[in-house]
Structure formats: C-alpha cells, structure tokens
Amino acid sequence: MQNTLILPLRGIIPPVVTPLLNNNTLDVEGLERLLEHIISGGVHGVFILGTTGELPSLSHKLRYELIERTCLHVNDRVPVLVGISDCVFPESLSLAHKAADCGADAVVLAPPYYFALSQSEFLGYLERLVPQIPLPIFLYNIPVYTKVKFAPETVKAAAGIPGIIGLKDSSSDLVYLKQVQYALKDRPDFTFMVGQEELLAEFVLTGGHGGVNGGANMFPKLYVNLYNASVARDLDQVLKLLKTVMQVSSSVYLAGNSPSSYLKGLKCALSLMGICSGFMAEPYSEFGIEERCSIEKSLEELDYKSLF
Amino acid sequence: MQNTLILPLRGIIPPVVTPLLNNNTLDVEGLERLLEHIISGGVHGVFILGTTGELPSLSHKLRYELIERTCLHVNDRVPVLVGISDCVFPESLSLAHKAADCGADAVVLAPPYYFALSQSEFLGYLERLVPQIPLPIFLYNIPVYTKVKFAPETVKAAAGIPGIIGLKDSSSDLVYLKQVQYALKDRPDFTFMVGQEELLAEFVLTGGHGGVNGGANMFPKLYVNLYNASVARDLDQVLKLLKTVMQVSSSVYLAGNSPSSYLKGLKCALSLMGICSGFMAEPYSEFGIEERCSIEKSLEELDYKSLF
Amino acid sequence: MQNTLILPLRGIIPPVVTPLLNNNTLDVEGLERLLEHIISGGVHGVFILGTTGELPSLSHKLRYELIERTCLHVNDRVPVLVGISDCVFPESLSLAHKAADCGADAVVLAPPYYFALSQSEFLGYLERLVPQIPLPIFLYNIPVYTKVKFAPETVKAAAGIPGIIGLKDSSSDLVYLKQVQYALKDRPDFTFMVGQEELLAEFVLTGGHGGVNGGANMFPKLYVNLYNASVARDLDQVLKLLKTVMQVSSSVYLAGNSPSSYLKGLKCALSLMGICSGFMAEPYSEFGIEERCSIEKSLEELDYKSLF
Amino acid sequence: MQNTLILPLRGIIPPVVTPLLNNNTLDVEGLERLLEHIISGGVHGVFILGTTGELPSLSHKLRYELIERTCLHVNDRVPVLVGISDCVFPESLSLAHKAADCGADAVVLAPPYYFALSQSEFLGYLERLVPQIPLPIFLYNIPVYTKVKFAPETVKAAAGIPGIIGLKDSSSDLVYLKQVQYALKDRPDFTFMVGQEELLAEFVLTGGHGGVNGGANMFPKLYVNLYNASVARDLDQVLKLLKTVMQVSSSVYLAGNSPSSYLKGLKCALSLMGICSGFMAEPYSEFGIEERCSIEKSLEELDYKSLF
C-alpha cells in the first residue's frame, strides 16, 4: 500500500538508471545495489522509468518487471514515482495501473513524443487520460524529446485537472520555469521539481521544491546535501557543493561530446563504480574504451568515494 | 508466401490509414473497404504502419492484427510493406517477424524517435538490427518526427548493409533527396521513394522511382495517373493532374491549420467519403464540426467522385 | 534608363558574387570579367547584392559602388536586379534609390534579419516600405537567414501591394513553394524564381519561371541550357544537364563540410578559374589550401572549360 | 577620458532603450530623462546600442549621435558600454573608435548575425577584429538572434585574446552559463553578466557578477536592490523583490504575446511613464491601443511609482 504523499513533494528524487544485462534482461542485483546506494544517500523518493531510466527503449516486459522489483525492494522506505510516458495510450494506462498495484505513490507523464502536440491537443489528451489514472500525476516537461513545451497557461489549466499535482521541468530554461511558477503562485500545493542538477541550488533557494537529478544515481549525498544547504540558506556550503556538481557536469557528462553523453556517461560511471551494469538499451550502445578511460579519470579527479 | 520484389520498386505505394473504431479496436470492414478502394485504383503496393497509419500510437495488439488482416486481404495482389519503427528494439524485431510470417514483402524502418541519434549512432543501430530482420528493408527518413536526417553518406553506408534496399524520404527537402540519389548514383537497384505527393511528378520526371503518398488513400487513381504520366513524360497531363494534387494539398490538408491537419484531414475525408471510420488514435482526436464542414466543402469542390 | 520588365520575368538571373580585393575595396576588373562571363553565357538578367553577393557583410560605400559599376558595365544588355535587404530601414530605401538612379530594373527585398518578424509584422513593414521604393520589387524568402518563412497567405497579401511583382524562394522547400504558387494561381503575372539550382529543372518543368542560381557565376551556360531544356520539355537533355548540376552541388559546394561551404566554395572556384578574386568579406575568410585543392580537383573532374 | 574599469565589472548595467521621435531622429530630451532616471536609480553602468537599444535597426547617423550624447550626458558618472555588433566589419570598427573618442569605457560585441558562424569561424573573426578595437571588449552571446551559441571552450579560447574581458549571456540557459563559468574558473578577472532579469538573483547568489537587465530602464532601483540583496545574501529580501521582477516579466513583457512583446512592451511602458517616446524603429511599430491599455493596467497593478 502506498504512502500518502505530503504536498508539495520536496527534496531529491533521482531518476533511477535502469540496470540491464542485455536488451531483454534486467540486471536485478545491480538494480538492488543501485536502489540501496541511492536510498542510503538520504534521497526523498525515487523515480523510475524516466528519460534517465531509458523508458522509451525498454520492452514492456522489462518495464513491468522493473516496477515490481523496485516497489518490492524500496518497500515504502521512500515514495516511488513511476514514469508512464508512451506514444500508446493504453500502454500509459497499463503502466499506471501496474504502478498502483505494486504500491507506487505517483506517476510521471510526458506527452507522447512522436507526433508534436499543440498546447490544446496536449490538454485534450490530458483530459481524456488523467481520469483513468489511479495515482497522483506529475507532468514532465522535456521539450527536446517531446517536441512540445508546456506554455505557462497550459500548466495552469492542467493543474486544475484533479489528479495532477506537480511539474517536473527538464527544459533547462529557468526563466521559463519561473514564469510557470509565477503563473501558479496561488497554488502552494503544486510541486515544482527541476531536472537539471546544475540548477538545483538556485531553484531551491528561490522557492523551488527540489530536484529530479540524474547525478544522484552516483552521488546521492552530494545532491541531498546541496538540497539541504539550499533549504537552510547556507550559501557557503551551497557554493562549495555546487562546485562539485559543476565538476560532475563538466566531466562525466561530456565524454564523447554528443547529445547522448549524459546518459552514456552516467551509466558508464555507475559501472566503473561497481554499482551496476553499464549496458545501454538500444538504440544506444555503451561507450568504448576511450570514453570509458576519460570517465574513469573524471571519477578519480572527483575523488568520488569521498562523495559517498 | 511473399512475392519476389523487382528492384528498384516503382510506382505508388500508399501509406495506408489505420481505420479504428476506438483506441483498441480495428475498423475491420473499413480496412477492407479501404484496401479494395486503394488496390482497385491501380497502386503498385501498400505500406501499412507508417506515420499516416499512426503506427506510434497503436497498441501492439492492433499492430499485429493489422498486419495479419492486411496480408490476408491483399492476398499477394500487390506487395505489402510493413512499418517496424519503434523505440523498443525487440518490438521492431517482433513486427518484422510477424510481417514475414504473414507473407509481407518488405519492412520500412525509421530511427527510434525519442532519443535523437547521431549519424554514427544510427548506423550502429542499423548494423545491430538489420541482420536480424527476415525481410528486405526500406529506410524511412522523416526528420521532423525522428530528429535525425540521414546524411547522404549515411545512406550510402547503410545501402552497403545487406538487406537494405531503398529509401523513403519524407523530409520535404528535394535538394537533399537529390543529393542522396547522386551519392548513390552507382546503385541503380536502390529504390528511392518520395513521401510528399506534391513532389511526386517532379521526382519521377527526373529519375525517382515513385511515391508513398497519403492522398492515394482517398484518390489512388489520381496519384497512379500522375505517376504514369510522369513516367511517360506527358507534361500536359502531369500539369493537369498536379493541379488537382495541389488542390487536395491546399484544402483537405489545411483544415485546422496545425501540424496535425494532414493526418486529421485525411482521416476525416475518408470518413466523409464513406470508406472507413474517422476515429483518430490518441493522442489525437477527430476534427470537430467546423473542420469537418470545411473538408466536406473541399471534397465537393474537388468533385471527388470524378477522381475515383 | 531602365528597361521595361516583361512580367512574369523568366530565365536564369544569377545572384552575382561580389569580387573583393579586401574588406573595403572592390575587385573592379574581376567584377567586369565576371559580368562578361555571365552575360556571354546567355543569362536573362543579373542580381547583385544578394546572399551570394555577401550584401550583409559589405560596407555601404562598397554597395553603392557596386550598383554603379554593375549598371554601367551591364549597360542595359540584361535587366539588373539589386538587393536592398538591410536591418536599417533608411538604408534599404537608400539602396533602392541608388538602384533607380543608376538605371537598375528592379529590387529584391528580404526581411530585416536580426529581429524575427511575425507574418503580420512583416506585412506591416512591407506596407510602410514599399510605397517609398521607386522600382518594382521581388520578395526574397530565405528563412534560414531571416528567421521568417512567408506563409502562402502572406505572399498572397503582399502580392496585392502595388510594386511587388514576384518571389524569389530560397527556402529549399519545393512543397512550400508549390503551395505558394497554388495560392497565387490567379496571378499569372506574378514571377516565381527558385534559388536552389538543384531544383531549377523540376521547378520550370512544372510551371516555375526560372532560377536565381549561384552556380551560374561559374557556368552560366549550364544553367541557361538547363532552363531552356526544361522550357522545351526536352527531358533527355534535362537529365543529362541535371547530372552535371548535381556534380557541382555535390563537390564544389561541399568542401569544408559546413554551412558556409557553398559561398566559400563558389568564390574559391571563381578564383581558381581566373575570373575574379576569391577574397571573402568578413566575417568569413577564404578557404585554406586543403579545401582549395579539393575544389581544384572538383573543377578538373567537371572538365569545367567544357561547360563554358 | 574614460574611467579605468575595475575587473570583474559588477552590478546592474541596463541595456538602454533608444528613445526615438521617428526612424531618423533621436528623442534627445527623452534620452536625457531616461539616463537621469537610470543613473539616479543607482546603476553601476549603462550599455547603449544593444538588442534592447535596437542597434541593428538604427541608421549609422543615429548610432554615432547616440554615443556622443550618452557619453556627454553621463559624463563619467558611471561606465558607459557601447554595442558594436554589426554584419559589416568596418562599421563595428568605426563604432568602437567613436566610442573610444567619446570616452566610453568598453564595447560589447555579438557575432555578425546574417551568416551563421561556426565556432572556429567566430574565433577567427575575433582574432582579426579584436586587435583593432581600442577599448576593452565584452562578448555578447544571444543565439536566438545571432544563430551561434558560443561553446564553453570557445569562450575559454576567446578569453585568451587580449582585450576580451567578459561575457554578457542572453541565452536564457543558466545551465550553459554555469558551464561556461566553470570552464573559466581560473579566470577570476573575467566578468560574467546575465541578460535575463528573471535570473539575476540566482546568478549573483551563486557567483555571477551582475545583470544587463532591460527592466532597469523602467525600475532601476528594483534591479539594483535585487542585486544588492543577492550580494548580501539577504534571501528574504531577494524573494520579495524577485516576486516583483516576475510580475514585470509576466505582465509588461507579455502584451501581444509574440517574440517582440518584450521590446515593444518595455518601450510602451517607458512612454506611459512619461520618460521617453515609445516610437519603435522599423521593422517594428508601436503597440496599438489594446496592448497599450494592457500595459497601463500592468503598471497600475505594479504600483510602479513605488518602485522609483
């Protein structure tokens, strides 16, 4: 049975990497090690089946197994959020029901990503989908992948649909995110989370609720500490931790220098750290030796064990 | 058992609309009427599960049923091409095997469309996928949806992978398509098809092999005649037919004035013509009364029965 | 005194390269050689101060000198069109008046290119500018540089402003261009020219009036012959010439493999052919030795003197 | 004679609006009132001839007059920065020399904005231009207008060219800006300024030097106070002021709901406040009555005189 979420949700909720042995097989031990690693870092929840979790690339079988195993392993220690974004409407519904059945606490929904929806088409889609979802819903704004950036008034309208409780924004555009927050200034219960870990401190210092930050797969304490320092307005501590966050961002995520560097770098680092398999779901493949060495060096320079 | 394709494939191969009663149910009678309508128009093949067929929005169950029913109904009268584009690698494989089992003649593959692949990532993906595909493969270039536009040298490299026999280009960029053709000028067996029906005549007049044109769902003879006139270099006839093609393009496909106007307009028109249901798969929904009336008027102005 | 233009204008009107000795000095001899070379190739007009002429990079002094020298040298042998696109309104006016004073026949106008205009802002701008222009005006659609793509209905509205007589489209999107043509099907006097030389034949075969093609700086006869073959519907000849056009496009314009390859390649080739200086106006600079050799080789493979 | 700039430059340096009576005439009284209004608000400098100053749309005559009058009127009370961005190389030089002659303190340079430069082309351009500039130079990153976003390594390389002392970033992408800052972490003298006023507080709280914020034309004290509160780490004050900043951003800058809303709204508000003429340089035109009323209402809701 799921927890009752206290709204707005606050803190660090990592988008969990999906450890794989191959395209059809979960790395179950890796997943459990990863979840323990993350939870022991003090995070405030976990989010599976996001972009970082390679949801769009995972077979349906894998998705369902991942929901089951994660909920079972987390065992209500922290809230579990489950991504249900899919181009196929019934599959989104099915993921949501599976999540509810397994005791997850909320779902996270980005728009279908093949056809580019207009604002009104997206609202219509929400109006038809949301009433059929058995869990609270976070909207997930990630226009680089979904081709639609929710206008502030769209989020405002969506926030009026019962069931929608928050927004995870991965647009990388903090001006925009602040405009959305301003448009919903009369909704203190509505949760705002930022995807980019580079923006976590700034966002929390000025009223944001937390971060869904990929780096917390590797270094959960770093991001939890940065969140806490931001809440406490301890600027000296914020600046110190932010420097490390920028070091991660400017090394681990830049190997190979391509749009896939973040995802490949993150999974490669987790593998080098002995946490889980570095296997990438198709259409991606693991980094080769050159990038792997570059990331190994980055981890050394970070003195990464000190971040645990 | 499938036909042996004569390469390069030539002619009009409509991307078949998927008639639906609701999000989970094929409009089987509509599908059969539509296939008869298209085949009786003299087309040179049919292509199911493309963008026009709303592949990304269809549940897996629907996809498999559509392959089965189409192959059964077409019954080797013309080649059947089956779209297998999916973000999930095993699903693409599974669609390809289903297509082979049902006697389809070839498959059509666009890149996974969530993550934006680089040229080399796409080639790597092809190298891992193609050897597992039991049918000849057309590449499908549609960058507005897939975020990657195959560079001419990428197509050239892909054309060297056994199994890949042609390209369907829906980039709407004829300069580009001609550059790709030029790069493969030593491969007369490689098939080039153009998606935009507005470019069919020009493309065929100067060496293209044919068109995968959505309008041929409504008016197969119009596009077959235009193809034949282009092959015969009958410019007077080409100009006459092209005028009607532009009239379709500038009326039926512009209702609502949005990026979804083409798809919604096409399905609405088929419904108004009594051929099949106009139901749109989520995330889209059917046109309202205003657009429906506008399309009805467009069909009247086209004197559409004269085009049958 | 200018000629009276016969509308629609037809044929090949090369966008003339601006030969420079340095950032502030015209290569006057090179300009005259280039104009002779082009005119002796049988072109139907010349267009100075376009994108190919590096208008935005030229100092005002150079622009005025170029207009004067060109009109003087052409001496009414063919119509002279003068680009007046500028972010500064009074400068556009001033260029237009200079052109009229020197006896040019028409001006060519793209939108101001710093601020991205909406369709209605662009129409408002035209309504204020056009009445002050003393010569007939071609609109110049080149969205990759100007950030606005004229909607078909915008062109239709603009065509109703007295003084606007045609459109040069360099969008590279033939579907779009055909939609614009269709929207103006009741205006047989309105001239449509295509910028991309790769599309010249197809465009003219199906009702376009001609091309403003950069390659005609090098090989005017090639494009004039292709235009004539297209008008004459001599498809065998069209295909033969088109092959050479694609060879130019796929070699001379691809050296360096960057968005500036076309411009740099064209000017480099003219220099290698001994026609004019290859100096590029800032912010560009001439190709280095590697690209220069590659273009030299391309010219040899084209057996370029045979194209004169 | 100019001041010696203390590096890094810090504080609020408004991009000054250019008051105009018509396309060719400065609103001199308006300019002087505006400068007094801004300076009396405690700003740390003024920046003329930026995007907000409509530089690209101003005739050369106006630009020179504006430099003269501004330097004369400011009279060394605060540093004067002068934009020199232009597609014409000699014009950029000429603006820089005029600025030096009039006693300005630094220049601000965005890339030429017609042709889209690659990173290496932009660096080459800088290497040729910068040695000829007689004043210290800020780079100006505003990719939505200039088509090039300086890569972090590009800024790092440029920072090594003598004369380049800082970056004004108007990309609206704070992740990016922080990556650039991180890449230059060994250059504490290098100035980083943010264009978006919505990001000023966050940027300064975490190590940025200040803002070049358009709203400071209207409410200089608001932005100066926000800057000071951020430097003092007075988070309560920051949040209070930020709310007003977001109110400005979400009302004054949204009238008309188009990409030009910011510029038109800002100038309209200054006119309503009696500070200067609201005339817009071509290609823009002033807001009509509807937007004007909407902005009037926004100013009332802001109780704007309380912000003076």
Side-chain angles (χ1 to χ4, degrees):
Chain A
M1 203 199 107
Q2 67 244 35
N3 304 305
T4 303
L5 289 177
I6 298 166
L7 298 183
L9 204 59
R10 293 177 188 275
I12 299 297
I13 303 179
V16 184
V17 156
T18 302
L20 295 169
L21 295 179
N22 59 48
N23 255 313
N24 267 317
T25 317
L26 271 187
D27 169 13
V28 176
E29 289 178 24
L31 172 66
E32 294 179 355
R33 262 197 309 275
L34 177 60
L35 289 170
E36 280 314 303
H37 176 64
I38 292 173
I39 292 172
S40 71
V43 301
H44 306 79
V46 294
F47 164 39
I48 57 171
L49 293 176
T51 299
T52 299
E54 296 170 277
L55 166 59
S57 309
L58 300 180
S59 74
H60 292 191
K61 176 183 97 56
L62 277 180
R63 298 170 183 187
Y64 292 82
E65 186 184 349
L66 181 71
I67 298 173
E68 258 180 47
R69 289 194 183 274
T70 302
C71 287
L72 201 67
H73 192 84
V74 172
N75 194 20
D76 285 336
R77 288 180 285 173
V78 294
V80 174
L81 281 63
V82 176
I84 63 167
S85 314
D86 202 273
C87 293
V88 177
F89 193 87
E91 168 67 2
S92 290
L93 278 183
S94 185
L95 285 166
H97 281 281
K98 179 72 183 180
D101 292 349
C102 292
D105 300 87
V107 297
V108 180
L109 176 72
Y113 36 84
Y114 188 77
F115 296 116
L117 299 187
S118 68
Q119 301 292 321
S120 66
E121 285 170 338
F122 177 55
L123 274 176
Y125 167 80
L126 286 180
E127 280 157 12
R128 294 185 297 271
L129 178 67
V130 168
Q132 304 182 51
I133 300 286
L135 287 174
I137 298 163
F138 285 89
L139 298 181
Y140 183 0
N141 188 44
I142 187 159
V144 69
Y145 291 124
T146 62
K147 303 164 189 161
V148 54
K149 188 172 185 173
F150 312 154
E153 54 268 36
T154 300
V155 182
K156 197 171 176 180
I161 302 176
I164 296 181
I165 61 167
L167 174 73
K168 180 207 163 181
D169 179 57
S170 292
S171 70
S172 188
D173 181 349
L174 189 54
V175 175
Y176 158 81
L177 178 51
K178 288 164 69 84
Q179 286 168 336
V180 177
Q181 284 179 291
Y182 185 79
L184 276 96
K185 61 182 182 302
D186 298 330
R187 285 290 303 272
D189 58 307
F190 199 81
T191 303
F192 288 99
M193 291 273 166
V194 71
Q196 277 73 27
E197 53 208 60
E198 298 88 349
L199 302 179
L200 171 65
E202 288 86 339
F203 184 59
V204 171
L205 281 168
T206 57
H209 300 118
V212 180
N213 309 135
N217 283 278
M218 299 180 284
F219 314 121
K221 271 189 196 150
L222 172 62
Y223 298 88
V224 168
N225 289 344
L226 182 54
Y227 169 76
N228 287 334
S230 302
V231 169
R233 297 180 173 188
D234 179 347
L235 268 280
D236 287 330
Q237 183 69 356
V238 162
L239 288 181
K240 192 182 148 234
L241 296 169
L242 204 43
K243 211 175 142 189
T244 306
V245 166
M246 291 311 301
Q247 191 179 347
V248 173
S249 167
S250 299
S251 60
V252 178
Y253 300 163
L254 291 189
N257 197 18
S258 102
S260 58
S261 292
Y262 157 73
L263 255 182
K264 292 181 179 175
L266 178 54
K267 225 163 179 176
C268 178
L270 288 169
S271 152
L272 287 165
M273 292 159 68
I275 294 178
C276 66
S277 159
F279 188 89
M280 301 291 301
E282 292 281 357
Y284 283 147
S285 56
E286 284 185 74
F287 268 149
I289 187 70
E290 189 184 349
E291 292 88 358
R292 202 168 165 88
C293 285
S294 146
I295 289 176
E296 196 158 23
K297 192 157 155 271
S298 300
L299 290 174
E300 277 165 25
E301 286 167 1
L302 277 162
D303 187 15
Y304 78 88
K305 290 197 178 158
S306 73
L307 302 172
F308 281 179
Chain B
M1 205 198 108
Q2 67 245 33
N3 303 304
T4 303
L5 289 177
I6 297 166
L7 298 182
L9 203 60
R10 294 176 186 274
I12 298 298
I13 302 178
V16 183
V17 156
T18 303
L20 295 169
L21 295 178
N22 59 49
N23 255 311
N24 268 316
T25 317
L26 271 187
D27 169 13
V28 176
E29 288 178 26
L31 173 65
E32 294 179 355
R33 259 196 310 274
L34 177 59
L35 288 170
E36 282 312 304
H37 175 63
I38 293 173
I39 293 173
S40 71
V43 301
H44 307 78
V46 294
F47 164 39
I48 56 170
L49 293 175
T51 299
T52 299
E54 296 171 274
L55 165 61
S57 309
L58 300 180
S59 71
H60 292 190
K61 174 181 98 55
L62 277 181
R63 299 170 183 186
Y64 293 82
E65 186 185 348
L66 181 71
I67 298 173
E68 256 180 49
R69 289 193 184 274
T70 303
C71 288
L72 200 67
H73 193 85
V74 171
N75 194 22
D76 286 335
R77 288 180 285 174
V78 294
V80 174
L81 280 63
V82 176
I84 62 169
S85 314
D86 202 273
C87 293
V88 178
F89 193 86
E91 168 67 1
S92 290
L93 278 183
S94 185
L95 285 167
H97 281 280
K98 180 71 182 181
D101 292 349
C102 293
D105 301 86
V107 297
V108 180
L109 176 72
Y113 37 84
Y114 188 76
F115 297 116
L117 299 187
S118 68
Q119 301 294 319
S120 66
E121 285 170 337
F122 177 56
L123 274 176
Y125 167 80
L126 287 181
E127 280 158 11
R128 295 185 296 272
L129 178 66
V130 168
Q132 304 182 52
I133 300 287
L135 287 174
I137 299 165
F138 285 88
L139 298 180
Y140 182 2
N141 187 45
I142 186 159
V144 70
Y145 291 123
T146 63
K147 302 162 187 162
V148 53
K149 187 172 184 173
F150 314 154
E153 54 267 38
T154 300
V155 181
K156 197 170 175 181
I161 302 175
I164 296 181
I165 60 166
L167 173 73
K168 181 209 163 179
D169 178 58
S170 293
S171 70
S172 188
D173 181 349
L174 189 55
V175 175
Y176 159 80
L177 178 51
K178 288 163 68 86
Q179 285 167 339
V180 177
Q181 285 180 291
Y182 185 79
L184 276 96
K185 60 183 182 302
D186 299 329
R187 285 289 303 271
D189 59 306
F190 199 80
T191 303
F192 288 99
M193 291 273 166
V194 71
Q196 277 73 29
E197 53 209 60
E198 299 88 347
L199 302 179
L200 171 65
E202 287 87 339
F203 184 58
V204 171
L205 280 169
T206 57
H209 300 119
V212 179
N213 308 134
N217 283 278
M218 298 181 285
F219 314 119
K221 273 190 193 151
L222 172 62
Y223 299 87
V224 168
N225 289 343
L226 181 54
Y227 169 76
N228 287 333
S230 302
V231 169
R233 300 182 171 185
D234 178 348
L235 267 281
D236 286 329
Q237 183 68 356
V238 162
L239 289 181
K240 191 182 150 234
L241 296 169
L242 204 44
K243 210 174 143 189
T244 306
V245 166
M246 291 312 300
Q247 191 179 348
V248 172
S249 167
S250 300
S251 60
V252 177
Y253 300 163
L254 291 188
N257 198 19
S258 101
S260 57
S261 291
Y262 156 73
L263 255 182
K264 292 181 179 176
L266 177 55
K267 223 163 180 177
C268 179
L270 288 169
S271 151
L272 286 166
M273 290 158 67
I275 294 178
C276 66
S277 160
F279 188 89
M280 301 290 302
E282 292 280 357
Y284 283 146
S285 56
E286 284 185 73
F287 268 148
I289 186 70
E290 190 183 346
E291 291 88 358
R292 202 169 165 86
C293 285
S294 145
I295 288 177
E296 195 159 24
K297 195 158 152 273
S298 299
L299 290 174
E300 277 165 26
E301 286 167 2
L302 277 162
D303 188 13
Y304 78 88
K305 291 198 177 159
S306 73
L307 301 172
F308 282 179
Chain C
M1 204 197 107
Q2 68 245 33
N3 304 306
T4 303
L5 289 177
I6 298 165
L7 298 183
L9 204 59
R10 294 176 187 275
I12 299 298
I13 303 178
V16 183
V17 156
T18 302
L20 295 168
L21 293 179
N22 60 49
N23 255 312
N24 267 316
T25 317
L26 272 187
D27 170 11
V28 176
E29 288 178 27
L31 173 65
E32 293 179 357
R33 260 196 310 274
L34 177 59
L35 289 170
E36 281 313 302
H37 176 63
I38 292 173
I39 293 173
S40 71
V43 301
H44 306 78
V46 295
F47 164 39
I48 57 170
L49 293 175
T51 298
T52 299
E54 296 172 275
L55 165 60
S57 308
L58 300 180
S59 72
H60 292 190
K61 176 183 96 57
L62 277 181
R63 298 170 183 185
Y64 293 82
E65 187 186 348
L66 182 71
I67 298 173
E68 257 180 49
R69 290 195 183 273
T70 302
C71 288
L72 201 67
H73 192 84
V74 171
N75 194 21
D76 286 336
R77 288 180 284 174
V78 295
V80 174
L81 280 61
V82 176
I84 63 169
S85 315
D86 201 273
C87 293
V88 177
F89 192 87
E91 169 67 2
S92 290
L93 278 183
S94 186
L95 285 166
H97 281 281
K98 180 70 182 181
D101 291 350
C102 292
D105 300 87
V107 297
V108 180
L109 176 72
Y113 36 84
Y114 188 77
F115 297 116
L117 299 187
S118 68
Q119 301 293 320
S120 66
E121 285 170 338
F122 177 56
L123 274 176
Y125 167 81
L126 287 181
E127 281 157 10
R128 294 185 298 272
L129 178 66
V130 169
Q132 303 182 54
I133 300 287
L135 288 175
I137 299 164
F138 286 88
L139 299 180
Y140 182 2
N141 187 46
I142 185 158
V144 69
Y145 291 123
T146 63
K147 303 160 187 164
V148 53
K149 187 172 185 173
F150 313 154
E153 54 267 39
T154 300
V155 181
K156 197 171 176 181
I161 302 176
I164 296 181
I165 60 166
L167 174 73
K168 180 208 163 179
D169 179 58
S170 294
S171 70
S172 188
D173 181 349
L174 190 54
V175 175
Y176 158 82
L177 178 51
K178 288 163 69 86
Q179 285 168 338
V180 177
Q181 284 179 292
Y182 186 79
L184 276 95
K185 61 183 182 301
D186 299 329
R187 286 287 304 270
D189 58 307
F190 199 80
T191 303
F192 288 98
M193 291 273 166
V194 72
Q196 277 73 28
E197 52 209 60
E198 299 87 348
L199 301 179
L200 171 65
E202 288 86 340
F203 185 58
V204 171
L205 281 169
T206 57
H209 300 117
V212 179
N213 308 135
N217 283 278
M218 299 180 284
F219 314 119
K221 271 189 197 151
L222 172 61
Y223 299 88
V224 168
N225 289 344
L226 181 55
Y227 169 76
N228 287 333
S230 302
V231 169
R233 299 183 171 184
D234 179 349
L235 272 254
D236 287 329
Q237 182 70 354
V238 162
L239 289 181
K240 190 180 151 238
L241 296 169
L242 204 44
K243 210 174 145 189
T244 307
V245 166
M246 291 311 301
Q247 191 180 347
V248 173
S249 167
S250 300
S251 61
V252 177
Y253 300 163
L254 292 188
N257 198 16
S258 100
S260 57
S261 291
Y262 157 73
L263 256 183
K264 291 181 179 175
L266 177 55
K267 225 163 178 177
C268 179
L270 288 169
S271 153
L272 287 165
M273 291 159 67
I275 294 177
C276 65
S277 159
F279 188 88
M280 301 290 301
E282 292 279 356
Y284 284 144
S285 56
E286 284 184 73
F287 269 147
I289 187 70
E290 190 183 348
E291 291 88 357
R292 202 168 165 86
C293 286
S294 143
I295 289 177
E296 196 159 23
K297 192 156 153 274
S298 299
L299 290 175
E300 278 165 26
E301 285 168 2
L302 277 161
D303 188 14
Y304 77 88
K305 290 197 178 158
S306 73
L307 302 172
F308 281 1
Chain D
M1 205 199 107
Q2 67 245 33
N3 303 304
T4 304
L5 289 177
I6 298 165
L7 298 182
L9 204 59
R10 293 177 188 276
I12 299 297
I13 303 179
V16 184
V17 156
T18 303
L20 295 170
L21 294 178
N22 59 48
N23 255 313
N24 267 316
T25 317
L26 270 187
D27 170 12
V28 176
E29 290 179 24
L31 172 66
E32 294 180 355
R33 262 197 310 275
L34 177 59
L35 289 170
E36 281 313 302
H37 176 63
I38 292 173
I39 292 173
S40 71
V43 301
H44 306 79
V46 294
F47 164 39
I48 57 170
L49 293 177
T51 299
T52 300
E54 297 171 274
L55 166 59
S57 308
L58 301 179
S59 73
H60 292 191
K61 176 183 97 57
L62 277 180
R63 298 171 182 185
Y64 292 82
E65 186 185 348
L66 181 71
I67 298 173
E68 259 181 47
R69 289 192 183 275
T70 301
C71 288
L72 199 68
H73 192 84
V74 171
N75 193 22
D76 285 336
R77 288 180 285 174
V78 295
V80 175
L81 280 62
V82 176
I84 63 168
S85 315
D86 202 272
C87 293
V88 177
F89 192 87
E91 168 68 2
S92 290
L93 278 183
S94 186
L95 285 166
H97 282 280
K98 179 73 181 180
D101 292 348
C102 293
D105 300 87
V107 297
V108 181
L109 176 71
Y113 36 84
Y114 188 77
F115 296 116
L117 298 187
S118 68
Q119 301 293 320
S120 66
E121 285 170 337
F122 177 56
L123 275 176
Y125 167 80
L126 287 181
E127 280 157 12
R128 295 184 297 271
L129 178 66
V130 168
Q132 304 183 52
I133 301 285
L135 288 173
I137 299 164
F138 286 89
L139 298 181
Y140 183 0
N141 187 45
I142 186 159
V144 68
Y145 291 123
T146 62
K147 303 162 189 163
V148 54
K149 187 172 186 173
F150 313 154
E153 55 268 37
T154 300
V155 181
K156 197 171 177 181
I161 302 176
I164 296 182
I165 61 167
L167 175 73
K168 181 208 162 180
D169 179 57
S170 293
S171 71
S172 189
D173 182 349
L174 190 53
V175 175
Y176 158 81
L177 178 51
K178 288 163 70 82
Q179 285 167 339
V180 177
Q181 284 179 291
Y182 185 78
L184 276 96
K185 61 183 181 303
D186 299 329
R187 286 289 303 272
D189 59 306
F190 199 82
T191 303
F192 288 99
M193 291 272 166
V194 71
Q196 277 73 30
E197 52 209 59
E198 298 88 347
L199 302 179
L200 171 65
E202 288 86 339
F203 184 58
V204 171
L205 281 169
T206 57
H209 299 119
V212 179
N213 308 136
N217 283 278
M218 299 180 285
F219 314 121
K221 274 191 192 147
L222 172 62
Y223 298 88
V224 168
N225 289 343
L226 181 55
Y227 169 76
N228 287 332
S230 302
V231 169
R233 297 181 173 186
D234 179 348
L235 269 271
D236 286 330
Q237 184 70 356
V238 162
L239 289 180
K240 189 179 152 240
L241 296 169
L242 205 44
K243 209 174 144 190
T244 307
V245 166
M246 291 311 300
Q247 191 179 346
V248 173
S249 167
S250 299
S251 60
V252 178
Y253 300 162
L254 291 188
N257 196 20
S258 101
S260 59
S261 292
Y262 157 73
L263 255 183
K264 291 182 179 175
L266 177 54
K267 224 162 180 179
C268 179
L270 288 169
S271 153
L272 287 165
M273 291 158 69
I275 294 178
C276 66
S277 161
F279 188 89
M280 302 290 300
E282 292 279 356
Y284 284 146
S285 55
E286 285 185 74
F287 269 149
I289 188 72
E290 189 184 348
E291 291 88 357
R292 202 167 165 89
C293 286
S294 144
I295 289 176
E296 197 159 23
K297 192 158 155 272
S298 300
L299 290 174
E300 279 166 25
E301 286 168 1
L302 278 161
D303 188 14
Y304 77 90
K305 291 198 178 157
S306 73
L307 302 173
F308 281 179

